[in-house]
Amino acid sequence: MFESDNLEPADHAWITAHRISLESEVGDYAEAIKAATELLQGIRTSHADLTTIAMQSVAAWAVFHNANAGLRGPELGVLLSASDNYLSWWRQNSASYGLAEAQVASFRAQFRDTTTRWSFEDVAASRIWSAATTAQLCGDYATCRSHLRQLAMYELTQSTLEGKPQHVTKALDTLRQSTDTDLLKIVTQYLERNGPLSALAATGPATIPARWAHSTSRSTLEVWTRCGDFIAEELADQAVKDLLRILRDPSQFLEDVRPSFSVREHVVDALRGLTRACSKEVRAEIVLALVSLQDVGDSVLAANWSSLVARLLPYVEAERDDWPEGLADAGRRQSDTGLSAALLELAADSELREELESRAATGDDDALGALGDVRQLAPEVVSALIGKHVDALANIRQSAAGSSWGFGGHDSAHIVALLSLHWPSLARWDELLALLLDPRVGAHDKNESCRLLAEEFESLPPDVQEEIRAEAHTLVSMPELTGDFGRPIPSGTMRLAMASGGLAQDEVAAVISTALLNPVNRAEAARLLHFSRLAGSAIGWLVLLTDPDPAIRSGAAACLIERLDQDPIDQIAEEGVRRALQDGGIIVPLTLAIRLHAYEADGKTWAKPFLAQLLTHASAAVRLAASVGRTV
């Protein structure tokens, strides 16, 4: 068709423009440049009409953009002249009008306009959609995706405010087609925390490709990574099998898609996202892929595989007998210690414990994490681990003294605190407290250990309790309730000071009240309020169930559950838990599921009716937590 002389100039230009865009899409820049150059030359020597002028713009921009691939682009004057045509002017005018209407709608929503208005169309959506369609018909796929992104942002903003799940689903798929994975991540995280979850569940059917496409393959994988928990089991099984085929033999996928991203990395991420939603038979196929896994080597890809393995751990007890053998051998093949330890833990073989202990004794913290209960470790292993991490505490203090702070890695203070709690004869409290009371050490190096010590304060040696109590005001004076890169810093030291009894109630109340009034720290302040036991009636927590922040709603739900474990049951708290079960996101239901499962395991029959509702939740993560009491 492309070589045919039977086509009119306008038809030939239109088909060639689409060919240029398609070849650019799949990375065949040389052919795209060749076709674009021929089209530009042909238009100059023929009679130009409305269509051919518009196609000239597509060709000129294709050559200009592909110049980044080392190819010579047109002069800027030629590019600007080609872009100035009737169709591009009309498209830009439509988009501009639509975006102006979208801005007005956003303004009205921001200021909660209650005026009743009658209209027969959504002008903003219609105009932006018109611009996207015009660009697509002209073969300008990049501009079409840009307008689709604008349309999706507008529709998502409006439909979430108006509570229209069907419109959210449609807009979410439009965003997927626009291929903007950064915005997809933002939107799916918001919907997961706040709902409507039905919109995430309804995205499944649209994402199962009959054939993988270059433009949407990356965004489809992103949707599976972020929304996999909400996809129906049958569709999840189909998606997982497709991903496993790609891992076994990526040749067809590479031929169809010509990807510009790391295929294995994103496919493994998508597998992780779908693991909880698929059937146990298909999960066994994922385990089979792990059994045959050769040394990954690359630390980034190994971290992706480790996250996938972690998703499988809650299923070990129920499904281990259906899994193939060989996980231990796969673990031993890995050079990455984190992935190796994760696979050995998943193997759930008691004979592997000695091997993991031997690795932990040499300082392998990943092996320590895989061992589980530290009370079952050999004394010589504990001694070696405490010695290693006490040295790390000294290094942290030394770096902080020189105004240098690190991020990431294993939490040495938490490891020392945990081992010292359960191995009193080997404890190193002096070194740990020196770090916790050092004002130069960052909050991220103290938080988890302080929270642990606060929870287990009554189990600490009397002299340690007394020292912490005496330094309670020192702990509180550290600047932990301020923002770090715009995010709140959890107040572990504040919790420890409160648990020690070294603060008067009015001092605790003053700190929490100040934090509650700070928008950055409200969620952490609510957790402190729960921990402090200052809140008397359940009514206050009932009010917080309507808070826009899911972290605050989650804390309120946790406090209300505790009030059910008494005789007689607090009726207000019971009503509050019922309302919390209907929360639009998953943060609150996850909190409920984990805590209610713990109460049921402890023989509390009142927890069963609530758990029964969570076993049918839209999120596979919530259903798993209600079944086994944990999730990853």
Side-chain angles (χ1 to χ4, degrees):
M1 179 183 289
F2 293 131
E3 305 300 329
S4 173
D5 292 330
N6 296 327
L7 295 173
E8 294 294 328
D11 295 332
H12 180 76
W14 183 75
I15 290 176
T16 304
H18 282 275
R19 175 188 174 188
I20 293 166
S21 293
L22 287 170
E23 287 171 339
S24 297
E25 286 279 302
V26 298
D28 197 346
Y29 301 118
E31 286 299 316
I33 289 290
K34 179 181 177 182
T37 303
E38 291 175 356
L39 178 58
L40 289 171
Q41 291 173 347
I43 290 174
R44 294 193 192 100
T45 59
S46 65
H47 175 69
D49 62 8
L50 185 65
T51 302
T52 55
I53 291 174
M55 300 308 107
Q56 181 183 23
S57 173
V58 175
W61 273 107
V63 177
F64 181 78
H65 284 304
N66 291 336
N68 293 330
L71 302 168
R72 176 173 167 76
E75 298 296 332
L76 184 59
V78 175
L79 174 67
L80 294 175
S81 177
S83 301
D84 186 16
N85 60 74
Y86 300 112
L87 278 178
S88 65
W89 177 87
W90 184 263
R91 172 180 55 75
Q92 292 168 4
N93 187 58
S94 295
S96 177
Y97 192 96
L99 291 171
E101 286 295 308
Q103 188 176 31
V104 171
S106 177
F107 180 86
R108 289 171 178 162
Q110 175 67 34
F111 289 94
R112 302 183 182 180
D113 177 29
T114 58
T115 306
T116 301
R117 291 181 172 83
W118 298 92
S119 61
F120 296 97
E121 70 167 330
D122 186 334
V123 176
S126 298
R127 294 302 178 91
I128 300 173
W129 174 254
S130 171
T133 303
T134 301
Q136 184 184 43
L137 289 174
C138 290
D140 191 352
Y141 300 160
T143 301
C144 175
R145 286 197 296 272
S146 176
H147 290 314
L148 286 177
R149 182 171 60 250
Q150 294 167 346
L151 177 63
M153 286 191 291
Y154 165 70
E155 291 187 330
L156 283 165
T157 302
Q158 294 301 115
S159 53
T160 51
L161 287 172
E162 297 169 4
K164 297 179 178 178
Q166 300 91 340
H167 293 185
V168 175
T169 301
K170 179 174 176 262
L172 190 60
D173 193 57
T174 301
L175 188 59
R176 180 183 68 85
Q177 294 176 54
S178 80
T179 72
D180 192 322
T181 54
D182 289 335
L183 286 184
L184 267 175
K185 178 180 178 181
I186 293 171
V187 172
T188 52
Q189 284 180 337
Y190 173 87
L191 294 175
E192 189 177 54
R193 291 168 62 84
N194 299 283
L197 298 181
S198 58
L200 295 176
T203 59
T207 62
I208 305 298
R211 185 181 180 92
W212 287 95
H214 171 82
S215 57
T216 58
S217 59
R218 172 71 181 85
S219 56
T220 296
L221 291 172
E222 185 70 21
V223 169
W224 287 355
T225 301
R226 304 288 171 186
C227 307
D229 271 342
F230 307 94
I231 295 177
E233 183 179 286
E234 181 181 353
L235 295 175
D237 284 354
Q238 184 179 342
V240 168
K241 290 179 180 179
D242 198 6
L243 293 172
L244 291 174
R245 278 194 294 270
I246 294 172
L247 287 177
R248 285 193 298 269
D249 181 10
S251 57
Q252 187 63 52
F253 181 85
L254 295 176
E255 181 180 345
D256 291 343
V257 173
R258 298 193 186 185
S260 57
F261 57 89
S262 173
V263 173
R264 292 182 69 84
E265 178 182 334
H266 292 291
V267 167
V268 172
D269 281 345
L271 269 178
R272 185 190 73 238
L274 292 161
T275 295
R276 291 187 289 231
C278 66
S279 64
K280 69 175 186 177
E281 291 79 13
V282 173
R283 265 194 297 274
E285 293 185 33
I286 298 177
V287 174
L288 182 61
L290 292 172
V291 168
S292 60
L293 188 65
Q294 299 303 309
D295 183 18
V296 173
D298 179 75
S299 58
V300 175
L301 185 55
N304 294 97
W305 280 107
S306 297
S307 297
L308 171 59
V309 173
R311 282 285 170 94
L312 291 164
L313 288 174
Y315 298 97
V316 169
E317 185 175 345
E319 301 180 11
R320 179 67 183 87
D321 292 341
D322 299 323
W323 291 353
E325 300 296 328
L327 283 169
D329 292 335
R332 295 187 185 102
R333 284 197 294 268
Q334 305 304 318
S335 56
D336 183 89
T337 58
L339 178 55
S340 175
L343 287 167
L344 292 177
E345 183 181 6
L346 187 64
D349 189 338
S350 58
E351 296 180 2
L352 297 173
R353 186 168 186 84
E354 185 177 340
E355 180 177 341
L356 286 169
E357 282 197 358
S358 176
R359 287 171 50 171
T362 64
D364 187 341
D365 293 320
D366 295 305
L368 173 63
L371 282 166
D373 190 348
V374 297
R375 292 171 295 186
Q376 298 179 17
L377 296 174
E380 59 272 18
V381 174
V382 176
S383 179
L385 286 167
I386 288 183
K388 171 195 170 184
H389 287 285
V390 163
D391 291 342
L393 298 185
N395 291 334
I396 291 171
R397 294 189 64 199
Q398 183 178 356
S399 298
S403 301
S404 175
W405 299 271
F407 294 91
H410 295 279
D411 190 337
S412 292
H414 184 258
I415 292 173
V416 172
L418 180 66
L419 294 175
S420 295
L421 271 168
H422 295 292
W423 291 85
S425 62
L426 300 173
R428 302 286 291 272
W429 295 113
D430 290 343
E431 291 89 342
L432 178 62
L433 292 179
L435 178 127
L436 298 182
L437 295 171
D438 190 336
R440 297 168 299 185
V441 175
H444 55 276
D445 285 320
K446 305 175 181 179
N447 182 57
E448 291 304 317
S449 56
C450 284
R451 292 166 74 94
L452 175 62
L453 296 181
E455 294 290 342
E456 302 291 338
F457 191 79
E458 296 303 322
S459 301
L460 298 178
D463 58 323
V464 176
Q465 290 186 17
E466 186 57 39
E467 183 172 355
I468 294 174
R469 190 175 297 114
E471 297 289 350
H473 288 89
T474 303
L475 290 168
V476 175
S477 66
M478 295 181 186
E480 291 188 283
L481 288 177
T482 57
D484 179 17
F485 303 112
R487 297 187 296 269
I489 301 175
S491 53
T493 53
M494 180 65 186
R495 284 195 182 208
L496 183 55
M498 288 162 50
S500 72
L503 301 177
Q505 279 205 341
D506 60 335
E507 293 176 308
V508 175
V511 172
I512 294 176
S513 298
T514 302
L516 279 171
L517 295 174
N518 185 340
V520 176
N521 297 309
R522 289 179 65 248
E524 184 59 26
R527 296 186 191 101
L528 286 175
L529 181 60
H530 175 207
F531 185 77
S532 70
R533 308 292 189 224
L534 287 177
S537 171
I539 294 177
W541 295 112
L542 193 64
V543 172
L544 287 178
L545 286 178
T546 62
D547 194 275
D549 189 333
I552 292 180
R553 299 199 303 271
S554 175
C559 188
L560 289 169
I561 287 177
E562 290 184 6
R563 294 170 183 266
L564 295 183
D565 190 29
Q566 60 188 31
D567 189 20
I569 287 179
D570 187 326
Q571 297 298 319
I572 295 176
E574 186 176 24
E575 177 60 27
V577 172
R578 287 199 184 95
R579 293 190 183 186
L581 288 170
Q582 308 304 318
D583 190 89
I586 70 161
I587 305 298
V588 175
L590 267 178
T591 299
L592 291 170
I594 293 170
R595 291 177 180 264
L596 286 169
H597 186 276
Y599 278 116
E600 186 193 36
D602 199 31
K604 308 294 184 179
T605 57
W606 56 262
K608 289 185 179 180
F610 297 119
L611 276 176
Q613 295 184 53
L614 293 170
L615 288 171
T616 60
H617 196 271
S619 166
V622 174
R623 297 195 298 271
L624 175 63
S627 299
V628 302
R630 68 172 181 139
T631 187
V632 178

